Amino acid sequence: MNPAKSYAHLFSPLGGEGGENYRAPGQLTFLRAPHVPLETAALKAHGARYAFVGVPFDEGNVGKPGSEDGPREFRIASQEYLSYWFEFGVDLNGLAVDCGDVPMPKVNPDSARERIYRAVTTVLKAGVTPIIVGGDRSISIQAARALSDHIGAGKKMGCLHFGAHLDLADSWAGEKLLSTCALARITELPNLASANVAHIGARNSMNPKDYIDLAKARDLRFYPMFEIYERGIDDVVREAVSKVWDGTDAQYLSFNFNVMDASAAPGVTATEPGGLESREMIRVADVIGERKTVSVIDVTELAPVYDVSGTTSRLAVCTVLRLMAAMARARGELVDQKIRRSDITAAQ
Amino acid sequence: MSKAGHHVWQHVPHQLRGPYQHTGADDHIYSPKLHNGTFKSQGIATFLGAPYCPPDRHAIREMGAKVCFIGVPWDQGQVVRTGTSQGAAGIREASTQYFPYMFEYDVDLLTFFNIVDCGDVPIIPGNNEKSHQYIYEYLTECLHGGAKVVLCGGDHSVPIPGARALSDFHKSGRIGYLHVDCHLDAAPDWAGNAFTNCSGPSRALDLPNCSAKNLVHMGSRNGLNPKDWHDFFVDNEVRLLPMYEVASRGVVECTKEIFTRAWDGTDGVYFSWDTDSIDSSCMPGTTAPECFGLKGREVIQLARTAGTFGADIMEVSELCPQFDVSHISIKTAVLMICHFLGSRAKTLRDLGQRLDQ
């Protein structure tokens, strides 16, 4: 036990003056993390591994609106969890800070896109992994471009995407930066080879023929749901993770939560039947977590207005936290199992 | 059964009386004859339309009831979101959408067990200690009335007085305690309070006749399980089957294991089943919904397997109808109970046991 460090947060509240109700937070932040201004110097000084950045941007969607409320609900749902994860034996406290939301100018998408790009760049320059919660799927275009520019032309990046739709429209009604164009734009980044791209979860008919044609033209490997039914989630994710992580210098990880079955995630902009079950998503987090680090995590298309009992935002939070926990375990950052609550009481 | 009289268990829903009366002995297990029966037309809201019986050991004995349903509208013993005080009402409401006959077991639950509904335990707002004492005393009446109990919470502090009642009922013997839950609930105390919904297993182990080998937890997952809760299982060598073990080994095998452990050398078992053990997609109407839980079909498999072993008190807790969606949670909760009872009835029948002797 390191006497300089506090361990009380690993345990049930001790009572007395410290007997706070865990559901009465002060500032509403991701996992009760401290708020740090979205500035490279401030992030560097803090030394956290992850920076949560909300992106309430809804002007890249072609279907149902509502994803701009995603970051707020994500933060609220994160309050329902504590920092200790017994399945992994790790403590997430101190790993993350919350940089608030990127301020969005309404009805000015060009300006908004540049702000998203700058926000992600600011976090990356501090050597911190951004956890970006949207917002619609088009924000991935800006965030991936920021990662690509940050590592530079001499380095290689990989991209792993989860979603029901391939988002491979070269253009949609003449527009090139909408959510339906996300993977089309990302796969044009100069330091991203098609061999290092994988898409998991495609199904149903919001995947028009030009998506499939572009996937073939660019030699993109996508793993549709039918393949997951047959091979099982572990096998598929392991193969996809190898494509994205092996031989690359940076990795972009993107979750559009419509990858989940409509029953497991009703609160997304475009629910789709036939998707992943929650226990499959838990395995996804475990398997990716074996790789120890990731450069950017994004979560998009949460639409709390359609959610049911907070199910979807909670699943999204759980997935991100389990990913953080699995990575912490893989890095060997384990809590000293000898620490007991009675040690804390005795120290007081 | 003793003499005939108006106290003897008898099932005639009030809707079958009156100008369009039809009161054949088994009317309640068939499609209605003259009108829509108990569907839509509400009588007194009881579990499965069972007769009401006062929570009194003599009344229960006199009616020959072998299963008492009792509700606990208590949600002030918990640290998460409120709403579970409406749980029992939700179950009673949803139970009107089912028949007491279950074809899977070829049994009429009502007449097999002479089920009675003993109403709700009265509780004292703001007073966890007194409310727990009332729960303890009402359960004690049911147990001494010769019945098994289906207890519907209420928050998950309910098993604390519940297991204490069972412990005292079997005070010359031993009891087992099962906690099926997303959360480990093994806090020594929560901010100084030792009797919240965070301490079921901890308080069970405090009981004089419940040992660690007869205490089992199943279904735990995710990050609302602080370290002291997990330490409890490690330090006391209590068997813990986290959700990832249930998912990989299968729910039937795991359920057999936990009931085998709980019944090993014991005279009675308390089976506490928190609805948040179930996946949030199948059970949105619970206090703390969590992903990566039991799926709908696994809930039925668990209840069915549990019924082959039985329990003195089966408790369903943390049901929150206000967060429910399309009534799927309250219907699932009814099926947790009905499959448990149906399977129990079939098991007893196969063993050649009769309950009214």
Side-chain angles (χ1 to χ4, degrees):
Chain A
M1 215 173 141
N2 174 1
K5 196 177 168 206
S6 162
Y7 295 97
H9 63 274
L10 294 176
F11 301 102
S12 311
L14 292 161
E17 284 300 308
E20 76 288 347
N21 179 346
Y22 83 112
R23 277 173 57 81
Q27 206 176 19
L28 188 61
T29 60
F30 171 61
L31 203 59
R32 296 176 206 81
H35 175 77
V36 171
L38 186 56
E39 294 159 11
T40 300
L43 280 167
K44 259 191 188 151
H46 196 279
R49 179 176 284 275
Y50 301 98
F52 182 91
V53 180
V55 184
F57 177 71
D58 206 350
E59 292 167 54
N61 90 83
V62 305
K64 285 195 288 188
S67 68
E68 69 178 2
D69 293 334
R72 190 188 63 215
E73 286 301 316
F74 194 93
R75 283 195 182 89
I76 291 172
S78 77
Q79 303 280 330
E80 302 283 338
Y81 287 112
L82 301 174
S83 64
Y84 182 70
W85 284 73
F86 79 97
E87 290 129 313
F88 303 91
V90 303
D91 175 15
L92 303 183
N93 192 52
L95 279 182
V97 295
D98 189 328
C99 292
D101 288 353
V102 180
M104 284 290 122
K106 292 298 276 187
V107 208
N108 189 349
D110 288 341
S111 164
R113 289 179 192 123
E114 278 317 296
R115 291 182 191 200
I116 298 165
Y117 174 85
R118 282 205 305 272
V120 177
T121 302
T122 302
V123 176
L124 288 170
K125 277 190 174 154
V128 174
T129 293
I131 299 173
I132 305 156
V133 174
D136 70 61
R137 168 87 160 105
S138 72
I139 69 169
S140 305
I141 299 174
Q142 307 310 324
R145 181 164 66 91
L147 178 64
S148 171
D149 289 353
H150 174 70
I151 62 173
K155 296 282 178 76
K156 293 174 69 179
M157 65 185 274
C159 276
L160 178 55
H161 298 266
F162 291 85
H165 311 132
L166 291 167
D167 296 332
L168 277 170
D170 181 50
S171 65
W172 183 279
E175 296 293 322
K176 305 279 269 185
L177 297 172
L178 299 178
S179 55
T180 47
C181 312
L183 200 51
R185 292 293 86 74
I186 290 167
T187 50
E188 288 163 359
L189 293 169
N191 40 12
L192 176 63
S194 64
N196 300 124
V197 179
H199 184 287
I200 294 178
R203 61 192 185 277
N204 304 343
S205 65
M206 181 51 196
N207 288 294
K209 184 163 183 299
D210 52 304
Y211 286 18
I212 311 301
D213 295 341
L214 194 62
K216 281 181 188 154
R218 293 191 180 168
D219 198 20
L220 300 176
R221 177 68 163 107
F222 64 92
Y223 301 85
M225 277 311 298
F226 282 136
E227 187 167 343
I228 294 162
Y229 299 160
E230 281 166 24
R231 293 176 57 188
I233 190 72
D234 277 47
D235 192 28
V236 167
V237 174
R238 263 180 221 294
E239 184 179 313
V241 164
S242 289
K243 283 173 72 69
V244 174
W245 262 261
D246 290 350
T248 56
D249 305 293
Q251 300 83 27
Y252 191 96
L253 176 58
S254 179
F255 293 101
N256 180 334
F257 266 85
N258 67 19
V259 71
M260 304 304 301
D261 189 82
S263 66
V268 298
T269 45
T271 52
E272 287 288 359
L276 294 182
E277 296 176 334
S278 68
R279 81 175 50 166
E280 288 171 323
M281 187 48 100
I282 263 69
R283 287 301 302 155
V284 167
D286 285 355
V287 172
I288 298 174
E290 291 166 10
R291 293 298 177 135
K292 299 181 184 170
T293 59
V294 60
S295 310
V296 178
I297 301 170
D298 84 28
V299 171
T300 58
E301 301 286 352
L302 296 175
V305 68
Y306 306 112
D307 202 7
V308 169
S309 304
T311 305
T312 312
S313 39
R314 192 150 178 164
L315 173 72
V317 170
C318 188
T319 303
V320 170
L321 297 183
R322 291 188 81 99
L323 185 67
M324 291 167 66
M327 288 186 163
R329 178 175 64 180
R331 294 192 302 268
E333 297 166 6
L334 302 176
V335 169
D336 178 356
Q337 285 300 312
K338 290 194 288 295
I339 303 169
R340 288 293 178 270
R341 190 171 182 249
S342 50
D343 301 334
I344 314 288
T345 324
Q348 288 184 347
Chain B
M1 219 177 288
S2 60
K3 59 189 174 15
H6 78 280
H7 282 308
V8 174
W9 194 91
Q10 189 186 15
H11 182 63
V12 184
H14 92 115
Q15 299 93 327
L16 301 188
R17 295 188 162 153
Y20 294 95
Q21 180 160 308
H22 59 110
T23 55
D26 292 324
D27 274 2
H28 64 282
I29 63 173
Y30 296 110
S31 307
K33 291 180 212 157
L34 300 179
H35 50 65
N36 203 18
T38 59
F39 283 79
K40 294 283 203 180
S41 304
Q42 294 288 317
I44 299 166
T46 61
F47 177 67
L48 283 177
Y52 173 75
C53 179
D56 168 85
R57 66 183 73 184
H58 306 294
I60 292 165
R61 273 199 190 281
E62 201 172 342
M63 282 182 79
K66 295 302 168 192
V67 168
C68 294
F69 179 93
I70 193 159
V72 183
W74 181 241
D75 59 13
Q76 295 177 5
Q78 56 94 34
V79 305
V80 202
R81 60 185 187 178
T82 55
T84 183
S85 56
Q86 300 303 309
I91 286 189
R92 288 193 181 99
E93 147 78 18
S95 74
T96 64
Q97 299 176 48
Y98 288 108
F99 277 86
Y101 177 75
M102 299 192 79
F103 79 92
E104 290 104 327
Y105 314 100
D106 186 26
V107 67
D108 168 14
L109 298 179
L110 281 179
T111 55
F112 188 90
F113 291 111
N114 286 353
I115 299 177
V116 294
D117 190 326
C118 293
D120 286 349
V121 176
I123 51 84
I124 297 101
N127 193 326
N128 201 43
E129 189 186 345
K130 267 194 179 171
S131 297
H132 278 190
Q133 187 57 28
Y134 281 23
I135 296 166
Y136 170 87
E137 283 166 12
Y138 278 66
L139 288 177
T140 299
E141 287 302 307
C142 297
L143 292 168
H144 281 282
K148 308 292 185 200
V149 182
V150 172
L151 172 65
C152 180
D155 68 53
H156 218 173
S157 71
V158 162
I160 297 175
R164 189 158 60 84
L166 188 66
S167 166
D168 287 353
F169 180 69
H170 290 295
K171 59 177 173 286
S172 54
R174 307 204 60 77
I175 67 162
Y177 179 87
L178 293 175
H179 200 87
V180 178
D181 190 344
C182 172
H183 306 111
L184 295 162
D185 289 357
D189 62 84
W190 184 277
N193 187 336
F195 302 99
T196 70
N197 70 333
C198 305
S199 294
S202 329
R203 295 294 81 79
L205 194 59
D206 291 345
L207 297 168
N209 51 357
C210 180
S211 57
K213 82 180 178 77
N214 300 122
L215 192 117
V216 194
H217 189 292
M218 181 167 91
S220 51
R221 59 195 190 273
N222 301 345
L224 188 50
N225 287 298
K227 187 168 182 294
D228 47 317
W229 298 9
H230 192 247
D231 292 340
F232 169 87
F233 293 89
V234 176
D235 295 350
N236 294 300
E237 296 180 345
V238 174
R239 175 77 169 115
L240 169 65
L241 289 80
M243 192 59 212
Y244 56 76
E245 183 173 341
V246 180
S248 64
R249 283 177 63 201
V251 72
V252 172
E253 195 189 332
C254 290
T255 305
K256 282 181 183 163
E257 179 187 330
I258 66 171
F259 273 88
T260 303
R261 286 176 182 272
W263 276 112
D264 182 15
T266 57
D267 305 283
V269 164
Y270 189 98
F271 172 31
S272 177
W273 194 356
D274 191 322
T275 46
D276 67 27
S277 61
I278 300 162
D279 195 83
S280 48
S281 63
C282 308
M283 182 59 68
T286 186
T287 313
E290 286 286 352
C291 60
F292 184 36
L294 296 168
K295 302 188 224 178
R297 74 180 64 166
E298 290 171 328
V299 173
I300 305 302
Q301 287 175 300
L302 197 163
R304 190 183 176 99
T305 310
T308 63
F309 291 87
D312 291 42
I313 300 178
M314 183 232 192
E315 162 225 301
V316 173
S317 53
E318 301 281 0
L319 184 65
C320 274
Q322 75 192 51
F323 300 113
D324 200 5
V325 171
S326 308
H327 284 194
I328 65 173
S329 306
I330 56 177
K331 286 191 80 168
T332 299
V334 170
L335 288 179
M336 290 158 77
I337 299 166
C338 287
H339 277 279
F340 173 75
L341 292 177
S343 169
R344 188 77 207 124
K346 181 178 185 307
T347 304
L348 292 172
R349 192 178 57 208
D350 291 350
L351 290 169
Q353 291 186 19
R354 292 188 51 193
L355 291 175
D356 55 354
Q357 290 174 337

